[in-house]
Amino acid sequence: MLAATSSTKTPTAAKWLVAHDRQRGFFRLSFSLWHFFIVGTARTAAPGSVFSEENLPSLVATKSKFQAIRGTRDLLPPETALWNHVEETARQVFGTFGFGEIRPPILEPTELFARAVGGDTDIVSKEMYTFEDRDESSTSLRPEATASVCRSYIEHGMQQLPLPVKLYYIGPMFRRERPQKGRYRQFYQIGAEVLGGTDAPAIDAEVIEMVMTFFDRLQLPGVQLEINSIGHNAENCRAGYVARLQAALREVRDKLGPDSQRRIETNPLRVLDSKLEQEQSIIETLPRIADHLCDQCKAHYAAVEQQLGMRGVRYRENWRLVRGLDYYMRTTFEITAAGLGSQNAVCGGGRYDSLVELLGGPPTKGIGFAIGEDRLILSLEEAGKVPATAGRDVYIAWMGEQAFATAIRAAKTLRSAGISVELPPAEQKFGKALERASKLNSRYALILGDNEVAEGSWTLKTLADGMQQKFAEPELLDFLKRSL
Ligand code: ATP
Ligand code: MG
């Protein structure tokens, strides 16, 4: 497979990857390839591969301009400050609800997702980044993390811990979707799961209350919570309803678009998700799940609603809110926010009481959610919550050998007091130094020439108004601590 590419005219690795990726619809990489990119040395390439010693020079000679892979992007300052703020807020809020952080690996056996998410879902059948590892085992970049959390729960025998186990995660997910605003191939989720113990409606309500508290703390604009119950997978409940829905859909089949027509047979519930304009009036006439829930599911749903009311959580019921996977049951919810166009869902969640068992663990209650962090950030940015470019508190404009030694010491003292300091590595004329200080958005310039050092009296210039004050060294620190 690799040898074939060496006969093409300009076998740049990038072209090879793109061509291969297009052909197959997903990437399959050998580890020698990864290793080559990461380590960047021919020595690590397997003998006889496209990256053998002899053809390496031609690869190096090809001046390729590297770009982030389509659907992936660099998160840069100052935006990363907002990402950190969001993540810190999540940690803080989730901590107050008793959640601990889990950091599962990004790579998992493909089979885990095939089993948990479902082999016939779009995610697994079309969107997963799957490759054969060196030992020929099929490995995937995670498209979501609930499966990993459940795998981990089983692997570490967490059912022995005081139940329920409450975990949250923050990290990148990978799905090969069509990139657009709010949709990326590497995107980030902040999610939480409650595993084990009971399925008390108060748990569902508290999980929802926690997400809403988090969004509230961030002042996310236009937050709307929608909830539904999709019952459980039994004849007297969802299974019976789905059969009825399917029969009703078959009758209106001709009026539906090709996607919905296909879903009538593969996943009828998903038709309810349709955003197609011409299907809306037809969908309104279909049977509704609320009329077909069993008594227990009906009571559970009513109790969740009552619990949400007690917690002051405002919601809208949406009977069309479904999850396409069998293991989901009862409470489902989705949260949308403003400023996102058609990709406006920032959070999806629900109860999945049979998932742990499906993965080979003990019968375990479960409920969780995943927040799309990229969309969350977009929405905050659209609402003008953009962090200011981080400046410096103090720019040290030093001149002279002796002053430099003092400047280094001063920088150390100030930094250890949490003050951000820019210390130029080489001497500058004062004019130049002040120019750079203001370019870096510094609040103060600390002027240190040999004279100042000799006198022990340092000049602090406020860049906004040009005001200058003189301080002895200890007073300076006091002043800065008070004013910053
Ligand atoms: P959508 O209907 O928007 O594709 P989904 O049902 O696939 O969402 P989930 O698998 O429930 O989404 O994931 C939870 C959240 O993760 C979504 O509400 C969304 O905010 C975010 N998300 C999902 N896929 C992407 C993506 N490709 N890029 C950015 N965010 C995403
Ligand atoms: Mg999706």
Side-chain angles (χ1 to χ4, degrees):
M1 142 182 114
L2 290 175
T5 59
S6 58
S7 63
T8 57
K9 252 196 274 164
T10 45
T12 66
K15 275 189 191 155
W16 182 87
L17 266 177
V18 169
H20 199 256
D21 194 22
R22 280 208 195 109
Q23 265 172 20
R24 300 277 182 119
F26 58 90
F27 75 61
R28 287 165 65 82
L29 297 172
S30 82
F31 255 83
S32 60
L33 212 54
W34 273 116
H35 207 163
F36 176 81
F37 280 121
I38 294 161
V39 181
T41 154
R43 260 170 291 142
T44 59
S49 84
V50 68
F51 299 121
S52 64
E53 298 274 353
E54 66 214 55
N55 63 13
L56 183 74
S58 71
L59 280 169
V60 173
T62 315
K63 270 201 189 141
S64 53
K65 247 202 195 154
F66 291 114
Q67 285 187 331
I69 289 172
R70 194 167 129 79
T72 74
R73 67 214 200 283
D74 301 305
L75 305 174
L76 302 167
E79 205 195 20
T80 36
L82 185 55
W83 284 77
N84 283 328
H85 169 65
V86 163
E87 290 170 14
E88 275 159 25
T89 308
R91 289 177 204 287
Q92 213 219 329
V93 172
F94 297 176
T96 63
F97 281 78
F99 282 68
E101 184 178 1
I102 176 172
R103 298 194 191 193
I106 287 167
L107 297 175
E108 293 275 7
T110 304
E111 180 58 22
L112 174 69
F113 302 114
R115 190 95 72 85
V117 182
D120 50 4
T121 58
D122 280 359
I123 293 182
V124 171
S125 65
K126 297 193 220 151
E127 298 171 358
M128 218 152 63
Y129 286 94
T130 296
F131 64 95
E132 205 170 81
D133 205 344
R134 283 183 169 215
D135 63 1
E136 296 183 0
S137 59
S138 183
T139 304
S140 293
L141 298 183
R142 64 182 184 197
E144 56 106 59
T146 302
S148 302
V149 175
C150 291
R151 194 244 331 115
S152 177
Y153 180 88
I154 300 166
E155 187 172 335
H156 299 284
M158 291 190 210
Q159 71 270 17
Q160 310 296 342
L161 299 174
L163 298 177
V165 171
K166 302 198 254 184
L167 297 167
Y168 76 87
Y169 59 83
I170 300 175
M173 309 293 155
F174 303 83
R175 295 183 197 174
R176 201 178 193 292
E177 302 192 77
R178 194 171 66 78
Q180 53 195 291
K181 183 183 172 190
R183 197 176 285 289
Y184 312 97
R185 291 178 173 179
Q186 175 173 338
F187 62 102
Y188 296 79
Q189 284 186 338
I190 300 177
E193 320 287 352
V194 179
L195 291 164
T198 76
D199 60 356
I203 293 180
D204 305 43
E206 193 177 74
V207 162
I208 295 174
E209 182 192 4
M210 181 169 89
V211 193
M212 296 301 273
T213 306
F214 171 51
F215 287 166
D216 197 46
R217 195 70 60 83
L218 291 172
Q219 297 178 296
L220 186 67
V223 175
Q224 287 202 8
L225 163 67
E226 294 191 340
I227 63 165
N228 192 22
S229 172
I230 54 168
H232 77 296
N233 196 12
E235 270 317 306
N236 67 342
C237 199
R238 185 173 70 234
Y241 166 71
V242 170
R244 254 172 241 225
L245 178 68
Q246 193 170 41
L249 282 168
R250 281 179 182 146
E251 280 180 23
V252 295
R253 187 189 161 83
D254 295 346
K255 298 185 194 142
L256 300 171
D259 279 346
S260 292
Q261 288 198 3
R262 196 165 28 84
R263 288 183 180 135
I264 296 176
E265 304 312 321
T266 58
N267 198 342
L269 279 177
R270 273 289 181 197
V271 177
L272 304 180
D273 246 0
S274 161
K275 308 272 183 309
L276 265 190
E277 197 54 48
Q278 77 263 25
E279 294 182 345
Q280 301 309 308
S281 57
I282 305 160
I283 292 173
E284 281 306 307
T285 67
L286 295 169
R288 302 185 173 205
I289 189 143
D291 303 326
H292 301 277
L293 292 178
C294 69
D295 290 346
Q296 288 90 331
C297 285
K298 215 178 265 174
H300 190 272
Y301 188 34
V304 170
E305 291 195 85
Q306 195 220 359
Q307 280 284 327
L308 286 173
M310 288 168 73
R311 289 154 204 266
V313 175
R314 291 172 52 181
Y315 60 89
R316 205 172 69 89
E317 281 185 83
N318 176 2
W319 72 275
R320 288 174 54 178
L321 188 64
V322 294
R323 309 245 109 196
L325 312 173
D326 265 1
Y327 65 71
Y328 274 111
M329 59 178 294
R330 292 190 169 167
T331 311
T332 53
F333 58 99
E334 189 170 279
I335 302 169
T336 52
L340 294 170
S342 53
Q343 323 296 330
N344 64 349
V346 286
C347 175
R351 180 163 279 289
Y352 49 82
D353 290 351
S354 57
L355 181 55
V356 170
E357 205 174 348
L358 186 77
L359 296 176
T364 305
K365 308 287 181 197
I367 180 166
F369 62 80
I371 295 165
E373 190 178 1
D374 311 69
R375 293 185 194 173
L376 176 59
I377 301 267
L378 268 177
S379 179
L380 290 172
E381 285 174 342
E382 293 279 334
K385 300 193 192 313
V386 187
T389 306
R392 309 287 190 278
D393 296 325
V394 178
Y395 187 99
I396 306 187
W398 61 269
M399 240 184 131
E401 279 296 301
Q402 248 195 314
F404 192 24
T406 307
I408 289 171
R409 192 167 47 76
K412 198 180 278 248
T413 313
L414 294 174
R415 284 172 179 154
S416 68
I419 293 165
S420 72
V421 176
E422 187 69 22
L423 178 67
E427 189 173 274
Q428 295 167 317
K429 297 242 158 43
F430 280 129
K432 265 261 166 308
L434 292 179
E435 212 174 275
R436 216 174 111 73
S438 83
K439 264 198 192 137
L440 290 177
N441 210 3
S442 313
R443 180 116 177 247
Y444 298 108
L446 174 60
I447 297 168
L448 278 183
D450 286 341
N451 281 347
E452 279 82 0
V453 172
E455 285 167 19
S457 155
W458 300 1
T459 304
L460 191 70
K461 186 180 170 95
T462 311
L463 286 164
D465 59 11
M467 208 179 77
Q468 303 207 120
Q469 284 170 277
K470 288 203 172 234
F471 292 96
E473 186 177 344
E475 280 84 65
L476 177 85
L477 187 59
D478 273 354
F479 173 81
L480 286 173
K481 274 191 189 156
R482 267 184 283 116
S483 70
L484 286 169

